[in-house]
Amino acid sequence: MITDLILISGFLGSGKTTLLKNLLSLHKGKRIAVIQNEFAPSGVDGKELKLSEDNFKLVEINNGSVFCVCLLSNFIENISTLIEQYNPEIIYLEASGISDPISICELLNKDEISNKVRYAGAWCVVDALNFNKSAAFVQRAKHQVRVADKIILNKADLVDKNQIEKVIEKVKDINPFAVIEQHQFCNVKSTELNQVNEIPNITSEDTRPEEIKTAVYRTTDIISEEKLNVFLKELSSISIRAKGFVRVGVNEFKLFHLTYNNYEIIPLENYTGSCEIIAFGEQMSLRTLRGLFQKTK
């Protein structure tokens, strides 16, 4: 049996993990595997996904893009082992928000896995609130749209009709063939892609984009929720995307997501994982991230 592989892409903070959680909830009774990819050496999204009650197999590939030669052998080894040991019907590959997926078909045509995996299409999550900033900021955001078969226009409730129409127009200019759906919280009702379009013949060297830097800060320090708000407001001035688990009491933890100037803090129950913060930005560094947290906690 050949396993179907479906790509989930979208720029930083668009809602890829939320879409994935919703898709998993619709796959009752199927053997589903998820490969999560992150440029940073640690993956907050994997920890968040594990908090769901859905039954699936998770593989995390961090510290680079699976579309880059630097992780190619690692990706092939992981996907081969996954298929041999778990035999999934479908694999969802959640690509890093700053990866360029143009080479997805070339990657899956490698001899080692071409007889095991069939490319079955791509979902791309577009952040209706921030897509114009992202597309202007980095070419990879456009490439993610270009390879998609279905566009999930997420956060549609946060913008007015005029802005929605402008984003849809821009998306159609990039990819006139994809189906476009508007949603809040990526609340899709079906796992079907309906159609799989041919990926454009564009060459791309997927290396770490120099314009976006990543920092991971791990700490067991307690920060009050009031100070956490202060920290996130200051962080938003230097980071286009951040996420993490933080300790706000002796046995109390919060999950937060920050995208540009907007953030949310989510309470957690029975969380036993590590506390860490991942932040992306043009001037981001561990020293900067750690200094800001220590200053405000």
Side-chain angles (χ1 to χ4, degrees), residues 125-139:
V125 185
V126 168
D127 181 343
L129 186 62
N130 297 301
F131 181 69
N132 287 334
K133 297 177 188 176
S134 304
F137 183 59
V138 60
Q139 187 70 17

Side-chain angles (χ1 to χ4, degrees), residues 100-114:
D100 190 335
I102 288 294
S103 58
I104 177 68
C105 281
E106 180 183 351
L107 177 69
L108 295 177
N109 282 330
K110 296 293 182 181
D111 291 340
E112 299 93 327
I113 57 175
S114 61

